[in-house]
Amino acid sequence: MYDTFCYCISCDKLNIRIYSKMHKYAELTKLSTNYARRMNLLSNRIFGEVTRPTNSKSMKVVKLFSAKPLHLNQDITEYYPRHVETGWLMKKLRYYGLYRDEHEDFKDEMKRLRALRGKAPPERKKKEAKS
């Protein structure tokens, strides 16, 4: 039917041949003819790959320049966590009794002891709203 390479898929009772023109193109590019070499160079240019064969050191440079710039990479620019939201969350959890913040507990205890000694700051009077 076609003059292309075929795949043979065999099941228990069924033998199917699938013809693929793409596979024929891939096989052509592997050949060492002048046409195949030129088509491979053109294909590499179209798809943004390295056109001519290069060594591993040059490929490192190519990969470096083809990578996404660091200032556009969100993993780098948004590295630090959300400190403000985390602080609010920890205060809420401490209020509910689900989190133990030893430093805040220490500060509360110091305020309590200071008040027992009579050195607490005086309570401020709330201003009444004018009607």
Side-chain angles (χ1 to χ4, degrees):
M1 184 179 245
Y2 294 105
D3 290 337
T4 59
F5 186 80
C6 68
Y7 296 103
C8 294
I9 300 173
S10 59
C11 298
D12 294 335
K13 298 178 182 177
L14 189 60
N15 190 7
I16 303 172
R17 291 177 183 251
I18 301 173
Y19 295 94
S20 170
K21 290 187 178 187
M22 190 65 184
H23 184 73
K24 180 180 180 181
Y25 172 74
E27 290 295 320
L28 270 176
T29 57
K30 292 179 185 175
L31 296 177
S32 61
T33 63
N34 191 27
Y35 173 75
R37 186 179 54 78
R38 286 173 41 216
M39 287 303 288
N40 198 12
L41 287 175
L42 181 62
S43 171
N44 289 343
R45 274 190 193 164
I46 290 171
F47 295 113
E49 299 171 3
V50 179
T51 54
R52 299 184 186 269
T54 57
N55 59 8
S56 61
K57 285 186 178 181
S58 298
M59 285 307 292
K60 284 183 183 178
V61 174
V62 169
K63 287 181 182 177
L64 181 76
F65 282 115
S66 66
K68 194 176 193 180
L70 294 179
H71 70 279
L72 297 178
N73 190 352
Q74 288 185 348
D75 294 337
I76 293 173
T77 56
E78 297 177 5
Y79 175 75
Y80 294 103
R82 302 174 144 214
H83 292 294
V84 176
E85 291 85 352
T86 306
W88 291 339
L89 176 67
M90 291 299 149
K91 283 183 182 178
K92 278 281 194 197
L93 290 175
R94 182 173 180 265
Y95 176 75
Y96 293 141
L98 299 173
Y99 175 70
R100 185 72 124 172
D101 189 354
E102 292 182 8
H103 184 252
E104 287 293 325
D105 292 345
F106 176 78
K107 291 194 306 189
D108 290 344
E109 183 66 16
M110 289 298 112
K111 282 182 186 176
R112 188 183 72 81
L113 292 176
R114 189 173 171 90
L116 286 175
R117 289 193 315 258
K119 294 191 172 190
E123 293 185 21
R124 296 184 180 192
K125 297 178 183 176
K126 294 183 181 178
K127 292 183 179 180
E128 295 181 16
K130 295 180 181 178
S131 324

